[in-house]
Amino acid sequence: MFKSSCCRTLGLAFLLLAWVSALAPPQALARGACAGETAAVSSSPAPDLRASVLCLVNEARLEHGLPALQQDPRLQAAAQRHTDDMVANHYFAHDSRDGTPFSQRITAAGYQWAATGENLAQGPSTPQLAVQSWIASPVHCRNILAPGFRDLGVGVNPGTANPAASPGTWTQDFGRLTTESAPSTNTTPQAGCPYNLSPISEGPAPTPSAPPLTTNPATTPSPSPSPSPSPSPAPSSAPSPSPSPSPSPSPAPSSAPSPSRSGLTAPPPPPRQPIAAVTRLRLVPSLFRAARSGASATTTADPSRARVSYELDERATVRFRVTRSSDGRRVARRCVPASHTNSRRAACIRYTTLRGSFTRVRGAGADAFTFTGRLDGRALRPGSYRLGATPTVDGRAGPTRWMRFRIVR
């Protein structure tokens, strides 16, 4: 049995647990093998294990017409640090022990994201088993097949955060930089999640240990989850595959899974879980002075500061961050700092994400607070800014909404 939980994308991530099958479907489907996909986590070099996970993820994406992900060293650093921290301090969650959400860890690693997501797994002994458990879980699968991601970082540790679990702790951090556009808008593969990944042997097949594997996704893309998740099905409810399954006589064509070259079969799609959304975001007045002291947000009304109001369509953690606006020039499709060498280029506005953020955890409906013009313990300097609100449910982030404002002396 695999015990899974998922993702998108920000702020505090709530865990959603779901049971998924640990074995491949009865019919083994042809797909390209990835080097080292059955290598044991306890005895294989970490770079080889990471490369195998990336290869398996891209096998699934390419089969569904999605562009392959690229390994990013910043995402890898964030994923590896969190994996090692979970093992060293015996916990298993998207949030660090101090409450830092995965999205802030990714930002701290130097990756300025426009979209991000996270998957966790505890117990898989090989890259193949880790990806198999994720792709067979709806929320994890939607991170892997998110069309808006470009990059991936993988963390792996042969230890375990839970002494009762099998060895092997894994983290996937997905992302897309603010300077890049989404590589695809095809959401059809996500709508078909979950899938089954058939194993390919590179020698003796690994035998999963008795303790359940625990996988945990956080997307951006709940690359998405809910603070009040539905109870996970009991392990006993998962189908118990026989050692040598045989096909049922005369199966109905409509019920038979359709094979794919990468070894993925599409079972009947489960009800889609919507990504949380922030609506009716307002910031009034948009011109104000920053407070000299205090927190970034307060519930106390203050007419000299900005009142922020918004609505949520479901319970979520909303992360607020600030970007500073500055003049730029368009060079090779990028907005770069203005200088005397590019003064004749087309003008554009550059947005630089500032250090620090703050979060609010709220249920569905309206919320409001006073924004003091302070961030990360400091008052914002006079200038033009944007305040962004990103909702996250179980690690999967919804779209960011922005409001412009200006700090005056």
Side-chain angles (χ1 to χ4, degrees):
M1 287 290 178
F2 294 107
K3 189 181 180 184
S4 353
S5 87
C6 176
C7 20
R8 214 191 142 278
T9 198
L10 304 177
L12 301 177
F14 296 92
L15 303 184
L16 171 65
L17 300 180
W19 288 91
V20 298
S21 170
L23 299 179
Q27 182 181 6
L29 304 176
R31 65 173 172 86
C34 290
E37 66 178 79
T38 58
V41 66
S42 58
S43 57
S44 302
D48 294 351
L49 297 171
R50 294 190 192 102
S52 295
V53 170
L54 177 63
C55 174
L56 288 165
V57 166
N58 284 337
E59 279 279 316
R61 289 178 64 88
L62 293 172
E63 174 61 25
H64 287 277
L66 295 172
L69 302 179
Q70 303 296 319
Q71 179 175 299
D72 186 273
R74 295 160 294 187
L75 291 177
Q76 179 181 306
Q80 189 62 54
R81 280 196 290 265
H82 187 56
T83 305
D84 293 341
D85 189 56
M86 289 191 294
V87 171
N89 295 286
H90 306 294
Y91 73 99
F92 184 69
H94 292 296
D95 296 350
S96 300
R97 289 172 299 147
D98 61 0
T100 302
F102 76 93
S103 55
Q104 290 189 18
R105 294 196 305 270
I106 290 172
T107 301
Y111 191 92
Q112 298 300 320
W113 50 267
T116 187
E118 180 174 87
N119 285 346
L120 303 179
Q122 181 177 250
S125 58
T126 68
Q128 183 190 93
L129 291 176
V131 176
Q132 179 176 300
S133 66
W134 284 323
I135 203 75
S137 168
V139 282
H140 297 77
C141 173
R142 283 193 283 271
N143 266 352
I144 289 175
L145 299 181
F149 290 146
R150 287 182 176 271
D151 304 315
L152 176 66
V154 178
V156 57
N157 188 303
T160 177
N162 180 358
S166 302
T169 302
W170 309 74
T171 300
Q172 286 181 316
D173 281 341
F174 302 84
R176 185 182 84 246
L177 292 169
T178 55
T179 56
E180 298 176 326
S181 59
S184 173
T185 58
N186 180 14
T187 59
T188 301
Q190 279 186 312
C193 285
Y195 298 93
N196 293 319
L197 180 69
S198 63
I200 288 182
S201 296
E202 297 177 351
T207 303
S209 305
L213 302 180
T214 311
T215 59
N216 200 347
T219 298
T220 35
S222 352
S224 349
S226 136
S228 303
S230 305
S232 304
S236 60
S237 67
S240 178
S242 56
S244 302
S246 57
S248 304
S250 304
S254 60
S255 64
S258 55
S260 63
R261 288 175 298 171
S262 67
L264 300 178
T265 63
R272 296 190 66 183
Q273 296 186 4
I275 299 176
V278 169
T279 58
R280 300 180 182 274
L281 179 63
R282 298 185 63 198
L283 186 153
V284 180
S286 59
L287 190 71
F288 61 98
R289 292 184 176 88
R292 294 182 178 179
S293 61
S296 299
T298 175
T299 56
T300 304
D302 184 347
S304 64
R305 313 297 176 211
R307 189 69 172 170
V308 177
S309 61
Y310 62 95
E311 294 183 7
L312 284 171
D313 59 355
E314 63 176 301
R315 181 177 175 83
T317 296
V318 184
R319 177 189 179 221
F320 292 90
R321 53 198 171 107
V322 175
T323 63
R324 185 179 179 93
S325 307
S326 60
D327 293 335
R329 292 293 183 268
R330 186 70 61 184
V331 178
R333 298 184 181 181
R334 298 183 61 188
C335 190
V336 302
S339 68
H340 69 280
T341 59
N342 58 25
S343 59
R344 295 187 178 183
R345 297 279 186 166
C348 57
I349 299 177
R350 288 174 48 81
Y351 296 104
T352 304
T353 302
L354 302 185
R355 176 182 174 184
S357 64
F358 58 96
T359 59
R360 293 176 69 81
V361 181
R362 290 294 182 269
D367 181 38
F369 62 91
T370 298
F371 176 47
T372 62
R374 296 180 60 82
L375 191 68
D376 198 32
R378 296 186 296 271
L380 297 177
R381 294 178 297 170
S384 298
Y385 298 88
R386 294 187 308 170
L387 179 70
T390 307
T392 299
V393 180
D394 198 15
R396 187 173 181 83
T400 300
R401 301 296 183 219
W402 297 94
M403 287 297 298
R404 292 184 176 86
F405 67 95
R406 186 171 180 83
I407 297 293
V408 297
R409 295 185 184 279

